Amino acid sequence: MSTLPLIRLYDSASVGLILLWPTGILYSNQAGGSFCLQPQAEGAFLPLVDELVAQAELLRQHFTGPKWRGACANGLDEETAQEVDRILGLSFVTRDLGVRVDRARLGESHEAWVYVEVPAQPENGSVCLERIPASQGILTWPNSD
């Protein structure tokens, strides 16, 4: 069991990104749909708010739709990774950051906890990040349970 401080994102209203860095802070969210997993990761949390695109709702609709029916806790497949990437491309915030699903970690991903790749962010290159090296992260949003 970790002794690091823990921030629970259970009541977050939208999509966010946990950049996986050694910050000394753990983040957790309820994930996996009806399985109600509570994964944790150390990093820095960045809300990804775009008032013009309801990404969290689009993700909820996908994971509660006929394919997953609110029970996605044992990894993602390529089709779902493509859908998450499509939804990320709808928002200028996530599109500008270049966030994409990490295909090497599909087996570790589930609803509301998807491993992503974040390309290096140059100075003055993004709406919300600057001078950030290429990173791994976790895309998270309110779980549909």
Side-chain angles (χ1 to χ4, degrees):
M1 173 164 262
S2 176
T3 60
L4 294 177
L6 174 65
I7 297 174
R8 290 187 179 94
L9 302 170
Y10 301 168
D11 294 323
S12 179
S14 66
V15 174
L17 175 66
I18 302 168
L19 290 166
L20 299 177
W21 292 336
T23 60
I25 304 290
L26 289 175
Y27 291 90
S28 180
N29 197 6
Q30 192 170 352
S34 59
F35 286 87
C36 297
L37 305 173
Q38 296 181 19
Q40 298 178 1
E42 182 179 0
F45 181 73
L46 174 67
L48 298 174
V49 178
D50 180 347
E51 295 177 2
L52 300 177
V53 181
Q55 286 180 305
E57 177 59 20
L58 293 170
L59 290 162
R60 186 196 67 74
Q61 288 174 9
H62 175 75
F63 284 97
T64 59
K67 179 173 185 163
W68 294 109
R69 293 190 168 97
C72 177
N74 295 313
L76 304 183
D77 58 16
E78 178 59 29
E79 178 184 31
T80 297
Q82 289 177 10
E83 178 62 10
V84 172
D85 281 343
R86 184 191 74 76
I87 292 169
L88 290 172
L90 297 175
S91 165
F92 76 93
V93 175
T94 48
R95 186 174 55 241
D96 192 45
L97 287 173
V99 176
R100 291 192 38 87
V101 174
D102 185 345
R103 293 330 196 251
R105 298 189 78 175
L106 291 178
E108 301 170 68
S109 297
H110 31 266
E111 178 187 352
W113 196 264
V114 175
Y115 285 87
V116 295
E117 297 173 327
V118 183
Q121 304 296 313
E123 189 164 346
N124 300 318
S126 167
V127 294
C128 55
L129 291 177
E130 283 189 31
R131 300 180 304 274
I132 303 293
S135 307
Q136 292 186 318
I138 297 166
L139 186 72
T140 190
W141 63 90
N143 189 42
S144 70
D145 73 320

